[in-house]
Amino acid sequence: MKDSVPGGTRDLQILWRRFECWIRENAPGDFAALRSGASGPEITILEDGVGFPLHSGLTSLLSVCNGVTPRRSSTEPGAFLLGYSLLAADQILESHVYLVSMARDAIEDGYEEEVIGRTAHPEWVPFAQSLTGDLLFVDHRDEHFGEIGEISFGDPEYLKLWPNMNRMFGDLCDAVENSTGLPTARRSPSIYDNRMVEWVSS
């Protein structure tokens, strides 16, 4: 399956470097929380675990940043992505297993219409998580391939935020550089304690 964004991998890496540069200069706590990129074998293990090839936007992101230092409280840095922390490859696999189990349980218990494609799906691959357990994921269903969605487990249905990873990081860069809001995500950036990015409702 082909990605829908021309030059996607290279463009995403450029956008990431732009975002990372802003983080380094304006949110040093968040920058210190970044982990180096995942290795090829780590990404292969992840793909083997989920059972299908990952969208290039996700593998490209992992290649430059394999998650962040785990947070223990909301005052610790590392949740610069709309209040979500990027997951490492092994954490992504663990979160995907959880979504698969949710979908399987829903089918077995006869309430799949309330769950499948609404709050869980085997082809959703989480890549960021909040302290409360909410998730950002890359959709791998054919008709939604590459879309970025948000699962808030208190809501009855997921929210589509961006058509692809490139658009997400492009919008994030514009938002933090210009101190403007993200219309689809309804959040605006601010700097907390001169060390980390917070996203407030807008």
Side-chain angles (χ1 to χ4, degrees):
M1 183 176 297
K2 296 181 180 179
D3 297 345
S4 59
V5 183
T9 298
R10 179 177 179 275
D11 290 347
L12 181 60
Q13 291 177 345
I14 291 172
L15 288 166
W16 170 258
R17 296 305 179 195
R18 178 181 160 194
F19 186 71
E20 183 184 44
C21 180
W22 186 92
I23 291 287
R24 182 177 63 247
E25 295 177 0
N26 296 277
D30 285 330
F31 182 76
L34 298 177
R35 297 175 58 183
S36 58
S39 66
E42 286 176 311
I43 293 175
T44 297
I45 290 171
L46 172 58
E47 288 190 313
D48 289 344
V50 300
F52 48 80
L54 296 174
H55 187 276
S56 66
L58 181 53
T59 57
S60 181
L61 175 61
L62 283 169
S63 72
V64 293
C65 181
N66 190 25
V68 298
T69 303
R71 303 169 74 221
R72 292 168 296 179
S73 74
S74 60
T75 60
E76 292 186 351
F80 49 79
L81 192 61
L82 305 184
Y84 291 84
S85 298
L86 290 175
L87 297 172
D90 59 338
Q91 295 170 317
I92 289 174
L93 181 56
E94 181 180 340
S95 294
H96 178 257
V97 168
Y98 174 67
L99 287 186
V100 170
S101 68
M102 281 184 61
R104 183 178 59 247
D105 290 347
I107 293 172
E108 292 176 352
D109 294 339
Y111 54 93
E112 59 185 291
E113 291 186 4
E114 290 82 6
V115 173
I116 307 300
R118 301 187 69 186
T119 59
H121 196 282
E123 293 179 293
W124 292 354
V125 181
F127 67 94
Q129 185 171 17
S130 72
L131 282 175
T132 60
D134 295 341
L135 297 166
L136 297 180
F137 67 89
V138 180
D139 203 328
H140 286 74
R141 294 175 294 174
D142 286 346
E143 66 273 26
H144 299 282
F145 191 63
E147 292 177 0
I148 307 301
E150 179 181 33
I151 304 170
S152 293
F153 287 109
D155 295 334
E157 191 152 358
Y158 85 97
L159 178 66
K160 174 186 170 183
L161 296 180
W162 286 280
N164 52 62
M165 190 81 74
N166 284 27
R167 183 71 61 81
M168 181 186 78
F169 273 106
D171 285 354
L172 286 170
C173 287
D174 290 342
V176 296
E177 291 169 355
N178 302 308
S179 298
T180 55
L182 293 167
T184 57
R186 302 186 300 275
R187 299 173 179 91
S188 300
S190 65
I191 300 296
Y192 173 76
D193 197 27
N194 293 316
R195 61 189 176 88
M196 56 186 278
V197 181
E198 283 190 328
W199 293 87
V200 297
S201 298
S202 59

